[in-house]
Amino acid sequence: MARSHDIPHAQRQLRRRRRVWSYLVLTGLALFFLFPLVFMFVSSLKPDGQILSDTDSWRAFLPSGHISLDNYRGVFARVPVGRFLFNSILVTVLIVGLGLVVNSMAGFALSRLRWKGRRLVLMLVIATLIVPFETIAVPMVYWVAHLPTLLFQDGSLVYDIGWLDSYKVQIIPFVANGFSIFLFAQYFSTIPTSLDEAARIDGAGWFTIYRRIVVPLSGPAFATVAILTFLPAWNQYLWPSMVVQDEKLRPVMVGMQYFFQDTTAWGEVMAYASMITIPVLLVFLAFQRAFVSSVAASGVKG
Amino acid sequence: MTATYRLDSTSAAPAPQNAPPANDSPATARRAGRRATGRARRAETRAGIAMAAPAILLLLGFLIVPVLLGFALAFTNARLISPEPTRFVGWDNFVRAFTIDPSFFHSLINTFAFAAVVVPVQAGFGLFLALLVNQKIRGVTAFRVIFFIPVVTSIVVVSILWKFMYQGNGLVNSFINSVTFGAWQGTAWLNNPNTALGAIIVLSIWQAVGFHMLIWLSGLQTIPQELYEAARMDGAGTWQQFKNVTWPCLRSTRVFVLITITIAALGLFVQIDVMTQGGPVDSTTTLVYHAVRVGYSQQQIGYGSALSLIFFVIVLIIALVQRFLTRDKD
């Protein structure tokens, strides 16, 4: 583009005008995307009456009038928020953590090992991608309600039926993920196989090759899968609202239901909504570069 | 670092090329090589199966079995908790859906109406945003991040927020009121059968469009700049560059975006559950919401499974049709 200096004056002016327009449109859209969240955070600091009376002016988006953390105190008094947050963090960490191990091992086996049945398994994994979770939610409830479970009761092992109301029912079904396996397999297949051969001549087993060679070279793949599984795990709603009745085991999104009946306490609703949104927003803003490239990677498969 | 590689007797089989000792006859050497290869191959198979096993078992247990179970239960009268034993009832559940269940009919219409609006509008809006944030101007990353923020926000939270904004005296009506200088009075959007679904469409697009913007953007960034330069040389304007370079180059991105939006749109559930519970008068019931309502809330697992199966078949057909329509022409 060495010829930018001889662009005629009129053309340069046209470009500048176009840029001004771009900024105007972008800013307008940014306001459109941000206003509900700004409204949420601001309202969480106001008493109920003021939230309602502020809706007819700009004050709805400004922390004006009587500002306090009363709503947050109210939420803590009404529902066990701490417990809900703990449950969600536990479930999310385990789904993401176990998922990284299980899916990356499967991705390794499918992309770097030649074995009987590999093609069949690969087909099966790809086939799972077309099943939306919504279509199996109903039979799945029936299924987990009939799964055997072992319990310790009064020092002895008791056999029982039903996985309802537990942490495992929120975690285990979501550990294996066809799309994660697919992403790992794709990434692993870009690592030169000559590394495997060299390691094998040195006497390394396959698991060692996976752990010492392939995993350390695949940081971006692990980051991508972690990010893509983190969001749905944190945001789970349909499944836990069906299988978890016990208040002590509920995640934050289901905890939101405590506010559905009584919709006059809008201040507390906004405070609770803010509390379960802020952690995710902070994670997102801290890792936004990785988020963007993860989503881009998820679209590349075509 | 005493042992970088764990010595493993099964996989330590020497690689075939250095297996045969040099002084052996060629035949024995070949045999020895084959044996070593066979052993290595068996070890590889064992390792492959062992490493894939956890994922395979979990996928079987929590995806394949529920799918098959769903098929089976759809032909029974199973209930979640029931005094009477589960019985095979043939096509009864499907007959019930198509003949005597008015909510099923409404849910079908609403699901398709929702998808028919959301798919083109969200895809188009997403592409527009992607084109905007693909410009080489200062601060454009900040806008990408802002447009993506609703995607990160839980749909449960988003639904609660918009439910409040859609009230008769909510933000949306105040805004309309001040823009039109009071000429146009709003309505309680979610309580009005004529506007409830439309209101849900708007918030759904607002929430998810950022995701597809990023997919489009990654597609745009694969287009070689030389194509644009060549087009400019030929005197192509902005619109012609879009029509002749951008659009054809986005073919595979287009397929992906269309399919993901369609499947997501057909699965509409949370917004309904949080905002309207299918009302008013079934104007916002969707297939998934209806299936969960009868299958879980009313404990009629058999009928709920039948509805889920119908939903699955529809998703499958649409995905296949889209694949077919957008297939490689060559």
Side-chain angles (χ1 to χ4, degrees), chain A residues 9-302:
Chain A
H9 178 73
Q11 207 175 331
R12 223 178 312 150
Q13 209 170 18
L14 188 80
R15 258 188 211 181
R16 197 174 308 142
R17 200 173 304 151
R18 195 178 287 167
R19 198 174 313 149
V20 169
W21 269 108
S22 287
Y23 277 119
L24 280 177
V25 175
L26 282 168
T27 309
L29 286 166
L31 291 176
F32 173 63
F33 281 99
L34 284 179
F35 85 94
L37 290 167
V38 172
F39 171 68
M40 173 178 84
F41 293 131
V42 166
S43 299
S44 75
L45 301 167
K46 296 176 181 175
D48 294 338
Q50 202 197 323
I51 296 175
L52 290 170
S53 61
D54 277 356
T55 51
D56 58 358
S57 72
W58 285 107
R59 280 194 309 268
F61 303 102
L62 299 172
S64 59
H66 182 81
I67 294 298
S68 74
L69 290 175
D70 286 350
N71 292 323
Y72 290 85
R73 269 178 231 122
V75 169
F76 275 97
R78 196 204 296 228
V79 294
V81 195
R83 183 78 202 197
F84 291 162
L85 282 169
F86 169 80
N87 293 338
S88 273
I89 292 170
L90 181 80
V91 167
T92 305
V93 166
L94 284 173
I95 289 178
V96 174
L98 293 172
L100 287 178
V101 176
V102 166
N103 296 317
S104 68
M105 281 207 306
F108 178 82
L110 288 171
S111 64
R112 294 179 88 82
L113 297 179
R114 300 283 165 271
W115 43 286
K116 223 180 255 176
R118 191 181 71 101
R119 292 190 160 277
L120 183 76
V121 172
L122 198 63
M123 259 166 52
L124 189 105
V125 167
I126 291 173
T128 63
L129 296 178
I130 59 165
V131 183
F133 178 74
E134 291 89 354
T135 61
I136 54 169
V138 171
M140 186 100 133
V141 172
Y142 184 86
W143 174 235
V144 297
H146 289 85
L147 283 178
T149 180
L150 290 170
L151 294 168
F152 275 107
Q153 249 168 29
D154 310 322
S156 60
L157 205 57
V158 189
Y159 172 81
D160 201 6
I161 288 267
W163 271 29
L164 301 181
D165 273 333
S166 62
Y167 282 121
K168 64 173 180 269
V169 77
Q170 301 180 62
I171 296 164
I172 295 173
F174 303 99
V175 168
N177 181 307
F179 188 53
S180 302
I181 297 174
F182 184 78
L183 281 178
F184 275 124
Q186 277 208 319
Y187 193 88
F188 292 162
S189 62
T190 63
I191 300 171
T193 47
S194 54
L195 291 173
D196 297 10
E197 280 153 31
R200 288 184 57 70
I201 290 169
D202 288 350
W206 284 109
F207 188 74
T208 312
I209 294 174
Y210 156 78
R211 205 167 54 96
R212 299 261 179 180
I213 298 177
V214 172
V215 172
L217 288 174
S218 305
F222 280 84
T224 299
V225 170
I227 284 168
L228 292 178
T229 44
F230 158 76
L231 274 183
W234 180 266
N235 291 337
Q236 272 200 84
Y237 175 77
L238 168 61
W239 181 245
S241 68
M242 292 198 291
V243 295
V244 189
Q245 301 302 324
D246 189 345
E247 187 183 73
K248 289 196 204 70
L249 301 173
R250 292 199 141 177
V252 286
M253 293 307 154
V254 181
M256 196 89 230
Q257 285 175 348
Y258 286 78
F259 300 94
F260 288 179
Q261 288 84 24
D262 174 20
T263 38
T264 49
W266 281 107
E268 290 183 2
V269 172
M270 298 300 166
Y272 185 86
S274 302
M275 268 190 270
I276 64 179
T277 305
I278 289 168
V280 196
L281 279 185
L282 291 180
V283 172
F284 167 61
L285 292 174
F287 297 105
Q288 50 94 0
R289 214 172 262 269
F291 264 83
V292 168
S293 54
S294 300
V295 171
S298 77
V300 171
K301 66 169 193 159

Side-chain angles (χ1 to χ4, degrees), chain B residues 37-53:
Chain B
T37 314
R39 215 167 340 126
R41 207 168 268 165
R42 270 196 302 280
E44 198 169 340
T45 298
R46 227 172 304 136
I49 291 172
M51 292 178 82

Side-chain angles (χ1 to χ4, degrees), chain B residues 44 80 219 285 296 303 313:
Chain B
E44 198 169 340
L80 197 54
T285 319
Y296 173 72
Y303 187 47
V313 171

